[in-house]
Amino acid sequence: MLFTASRRQLLLGAAATLALPAYLRRASAQTAIKVAGIHASPVENAWNSRVHSALEAAAASGLITYEFSEGVAATDYPRAMREYAEGGANLIWGESYAVEAEARAVAADYPQVAFLMGSSGGPEGDNFGVFGTRNHEAAYLAGMLAGRMSKSNTFGSVGGYPIPEVNLLINAYRMGVKEVNPDARFLNGFIGAWFDPAKAKEAAVAQIDGGADVLFGERIGTADGAQERGVKAIGSLIDYTPRYPGTVFANAIWNFGPTIDAIVADVVAGKPVGRDYTGYSFMKYGGNELIFVAGEVPADAVPAMEAKRAAIAAGTFEVPIDANEPA
């Protein structure tokens, strides 16, 4: 599928152009940076949807052109990367968690192409940049609200896989709960999939049966179980409130736009992109935010949360990053 935006001219002189990296020289011959996205899951999956919508917005603004593939299996992933590289992409976006070594090998074969990969490893060379998901600050704040809302004093969470990006999110939620409720008890489950709402619902129901009455849904489907059993839930990455009114009271939103802006600026400036772009997901860049339904949380829980949110924005408080697998 192809999403092509209105174009804007990159004004580079001929001498300056020759001094730039190959992937930028190709981009300057066009009128916008050509971005290819390779999504392992369907683009309606919460995590992928945040990236996909941000790339579509960048295309609509004329910053880039955007084409993508979705539901790409790990066995096909390197082939898809090579096809886009051969097809003239200036920047290939992807998620290398299941194909780390293979993705890096492809990038090494195409030094003229910039790569930005969701990855648990570090950057490599001049053209392999990485990013991690960091809506942990919003998850911490959501936990502060949740900590005042449980009748059972038991809090659940449902994740995909116990990788660092998922672990730190669930741990941040737990830290927020503990800040206001030091006696809280936690349950957690991983479903072994990035997109399986039925499994996530099943895991949620199991935790509810185990006593949890507030759930953090790192995966789509968690709120279905909460809704069915009449308990509360927190959404992650996207806003689930309209879909689950009366069930989802808060959402830890992830905004990928600042990351796109940062790497495209590097490409346009001719800078190497082999660096870690994770920081652009932090709240100070607008990379994550908490939204909540005021009428569904205790009024006395809000002031402490808002004070902490202000401290995060001001840089006087940093949410700890704990990437260990939650117990």
Side-chain angles (χ1 to χ4, degrees), residues 10-254:
L10 299 176
L11 301 177
L12 295 170
T17 298
L18 291 175
L20 296 174
Y23 60 76
L24 181 57
R25 293 204 298 272
R26 183 183 294 173
S28 67
Q30 303 170 7
T31 52
I33 302 299
K34 186 176 180 180
V35 177
I38 309 174
H39 299 266
S41 298
V43 293
E44 67 262 30
N45 181 38
W47 188 85
N48 297 83
S49 75
R50 297 307 291 161
V51 174
H52 182 63
S53 62
L55 287 167
E56 286 190 316
S61 74
L63 185 66
I64 65 172
T65 64
Y66 172 47
E67 58 183 335
F68 68 97
S69 299
E70 60 182 323
V72 180
T75 51
D76 290 331
Y77 212 92
R79 177 189 56 78
M81 293 176 67
R82 291 183 186 279
E83 287 183 356
Y84 279 124
E86 295 285 350
N90 309 119
L91 170 63
I92 295 175
W93 175 92
E95 43 191 299
S96 63
Y97 300 109
V99 288
E100 199 71 55
E102 296 91 336
R104 292 170 186 271
V106 173
D109 287 343
Y110 295 93
Q112 78 279 10
V113 179
F115 292 83
L116 177 62
M117 292 281 154
S119 171
S120 296
E124 190 167 335
D126 288 339
N127 71 323
F128 190 92
V130 299
F131 70 91
T133 309
R134 293 292 186 271
N135 55 326
H136 64 299
E137 294 162 315
Y140 184 99
L141 298 175
M144 290 185 67
L145 297 178
R148 299 285 189 87
M149 296 179 64
S150 175
K151 296 177 181 178
S152 67
N153 211 36
T154 302
F155 302 81
S157 52
V158 178
Y161 293 94
I163 65 169
E165 284 77 9
V166 175
N167 295 343
L168 65 87
L169 187 61
I170 293 171
N171 288 329
Y173 156 68
R174 290 182 172 190
M175 289 179 215
V177 171
K178 281 281 194 180
E179 176 160 331
V180 300
N181 185 350
D183 298 322
R185 173 175 172 259
F186 298 99
L187 301 175
N188 182 67
F190 293 105
I191 64 172
W194 292 127
F195 188 72
D196 194 333
K199 272 191 174 182
K201 179 182 177 181
E202 182 181 348
V205 169
Q207 290 178 20
I208 296 166
D209 288 345
D213 60 359
V214 182
L215 302 177
F216 181 84
E218 194 272 329
R219 289 292 102 189
I220 287 178
T222 307
D224 291 295
Q227 186 178 59
E228 183 177 284
R229 293 299 185 92
V231 304
K232 297 296 185 181
I234 297 166
S236 179
L237 303 173
I238 65 175
D239 182 4
Y240 288 93
T241 307
R243 182 173 173 179
Y244 302 99
T247 297
V248 174
F249 65 90
N251 298 274
I253 303 294
W254 181 43

Side-chain angles (χ1 to χ4, degrees), residues 251-271:
N251 298 274
I253 303 294
W254 181 43
N255 298 318
F256 196 63
T259 304
I260 295 170
D261 291 343
I263 192 166
V264 170
D266 283 347
V267 170
V268 171
K271 297 179 179 178

